[in-house]
Amino acid sequence: MNRRRLLQTAPAALGAVWLGEAAAQGTPVASPLATPLVLPTSYADVAGSYDRLAAVVLEHGRAAVELAVNGDYAALFDRFSPEMQAAIGIETLGTLLPAYTTGRAHFEVAEYQLVFDAQVTGETMTGTVQSAALYSFSLQRQAGTPDASPVAGTPAPAAALAGQWSGTTQLSDGSVITLQLAFSAGGQRGTLSIPEQKVIDAPVGNIAFHAEQPIGERLDERALPKAPNAQIYWARYDWGGRGLTFDVSMDASGTIVGLQVLPEWQLPPDPAAELTPLPSLQLPFAGLWWVLWGGETVTENYHAAYPQQRHASDIMIWNDGATWHDDPSQNENYWVWGQPVLAPADGTIVAVVDGIAANAPGALPTDPADVAGNHVVLQIGEAAYCYLAHMQAGTIAVSEGDAITTGTHIGLAGNSGNSSEPHLHIHVQNEVDISSPTAFSLPMTFANVLVSGEPTADATLEQGTFVAPE
């Protein structure tokens, strides 16, 4: 199950794994509701205000995406912030839908778990390649004679891929590598070479080309009113049997401050699926917390793209319209800051990192001392290691070698490591070392949880839900 992975360096990949959400976008804006310094204790405390704000985000986001899907770029451009308008321009925006509906190529290199999605326009191929992260690439068709051997039954349009292609992609560590592709005359067979990584003529499979690939019906959508200037809406549409996701970030007025369109991430088979499930854990906190990242798809949980953290979650506290009160540039103004982190199971502490200073909200460190920040690793089974990450310096109350019980006080929630907002990260993996190439994440369930007010015997942490011990 553990095949070689390309297009990454370990520090860059791990950095992406622990990426946190920015505290706010644009100028800080006070929460629109009252901000008493009292934490919510039950879903009833937040349900009304959260649902009202979510309904507004849903309305604004749905309208924006429908403009994009229908190709009404002038109206969509009018919804952009001045900064977005200056950065993109209406001419560039006008290429958005055609880039995903015409000349679409898809192919994969199974040996290295690479998935390519691109648009072919004449002699140019541009798109993204999915590895442990998502990278943009641009290729040009080169002079040369491809293999002319036909394959029966291949649709004629696939010949648009025929020939030799060469170009580059930049990795997350800043290095640039060369991609060299060769497709047969009918576009049915291909090979990939990456000289810098000593990959030569790796077979390309699952090749498909569609001259037209229209966007179908909406399959799913979600509204996340994270903060007044960080309101998130995403919608997933059918796209030739796959998903195409529109991700929109807006301010309190519905002005668009961010827009992404991404093909659905294709996850490899989950190695944990063949294992006996872990016993249910206990929530690692008291009170009512909110799940920002959680679920089994990359859209709802970006951790899912990384084998070690496929089933991880990021949790914080939402109250009075935001995850913070007053000034979001101060860590202490985040509701979750300083909240106790508790052991989710009996076990033994096998690793402790402490003493890492907190980050300023909204800013990721360029070279964190440890991507998990101040954290502990709790062994809860023979091959089960639970990470509790991003805590405050000097607050970790356990030591390596301690045998502890469920509910033991571990430390205080913070904003250390590769994190841009105070929150708690939790995941379980099969090995203690997060950088091990053979490590993979184990699914977690939590016993006796109130999920958005509903009693649940065994709950998973799903994006946008409020969770509390029953």
Side-chain angles (χ1 to χ4, degrees), residues 1 3 5 113 130-131 265-271 304-305 307 310:
M1 298 298 296
R3 294 170 290 183
R5 302 184 71 84
Q113 300 185 38
Q130 170 194 321
S131 178
W265 195 283
Q266 291 186 228
L267 294 173
D270 186 356
R310 183 166 181 160

Side-chain angles (χ1 to χ4, degrees), residues 18-21 289 302-303 313-316 336 389-391 413-416 418-425:
W18 296 94
L19 179 65
E21 278 294 293
W289 289 36
Y302 74 91
H303 301 97
S313 288
D314 284 347
I315 327 162
M316 50 192 64
V336 77
H390 304 312
M391 288 182 281
N415 185 27
S416 58
N418 204 16
S419 168
S420 61
E421 174 175 340
H423 70 284
L424 174 64
H425 171 106

